[in-house]
Amino acid sequence: MRQLEMPHARALAPELIATARAQRWEPAEIIKALFTEETAGRARSMLATRRKAAGFPTGKTFDAWDPAASSIPAPTQQALRTLEWIGRRENLVVCGPSGTGKTFFLEALGQQAVEAGMRVAWFRLEDLGALIRAHRTDDSVTRAVTRILRAYLVVIDDS
């Protein structure tokens, strides 16, 4: 398993093999259980990697979101939460007074997109400007922007 690069199955293998011996599992059942654990472990790892790469400010999700407290109409919230608009490559601009939950809602949308297997890039406006200025000095702006645009969802927050 080390040579096959299966760290998740390898971590579970001693315990699983002991259980399999005690319960007299068929060899195919052992292999199936190891592959299932490896697949689940890789999915968890990829999700964590996409979350970290997104650069979310706080980690807020829709679990803590109160749709009734938002000034965004409930049907609009539901339509945005389907994430279909991302697949259609549509833009979304959310604006409003300070303290109305714009950042919270957008971060929760971003978290949901990450869970759906999409790459997300989160920037504060000042940080994006600094990134572009930093790459302008060595003429690598195109490379930096190309890396950003690989994401399915790019969020630029003004806070």
Side-chain angles (χ1 to χ4, degrees):
M1 282 188 239
R2 185 177 296 132
Q3 285 182 323
L4 294 174
E5 296 183 18
M6 297 175 63
H8 307 286
R10 189 168 149 233
L12 180 72
E15 180 182 324
L16 184 86
I17 290 171
T19 301
R21 281 187 183 143
Q23 296 180 4
R24 297 187 177 158
W25 289 9
E26 292 291 321
E29 291 178 87
I30 298 170
I31 292 170
K32 180 181 176 184
L34 289 171
F35 281 154
T36 300
E37 176 59 26
E38 185 63 28
T39 303
R42 287 181 183 205
R44 288 189 306 270
S45 178
M46 286 302 297
L47 180 62
T49 299
R50 281 193 308 271
R51 274 204 175 105
K52 183 177 179 183
F56 294 119
T58 60
K60 293 180 180 174
T61 66
F62 281 119
D63 293 338
W65 177 252
D66 181 11
S70 175
S71 61
I72 302 170
T76 303
Q77 289 182 48
Q78 289 304 319
L80 291 172
R81 288 180 68 172
T82 65
L83 303 178
E84 291 174 1
W85 56 278
I86 295 174
R88 293 189 303 262
R89 298 181 182 266
E90 294 178 359
N91 295 321
L92 171 67
V93 176
V94 179
C95 57
S98 181
T100 57
K102 302 177 301 292
T103 299
F104 189 137
F105 185 74
L106 290 174
E107 185 172 355
L109 277 176
Q111 294 279 3
Q112 189 170 337
V114 164
E115 289 171 11
M118 299 177 196
R119 284 188 303 270
V120 175
W122 182 282
F123 294 97
R124 286 188 10 212
L125 187 58
E126 296 84 21
D127 296 340
L128 184 60
L131 178 71
I132 298 300
R133 281 189 301 280
H135 284 281
R136 194 178 317 160
T137 59
D138 65 355
D139 203 28
S140 60
V141 174
T142 304
R143 196 171 354 146
V145 170
T146 301
R147 194 173 324 128
I148 293 168
L149 294 179
R150 285 187 193 136
Y152 289 89
L153 176 63
V154 178
V155 180
I156 303 171
D157 187 19
D158 68 348
S159 59

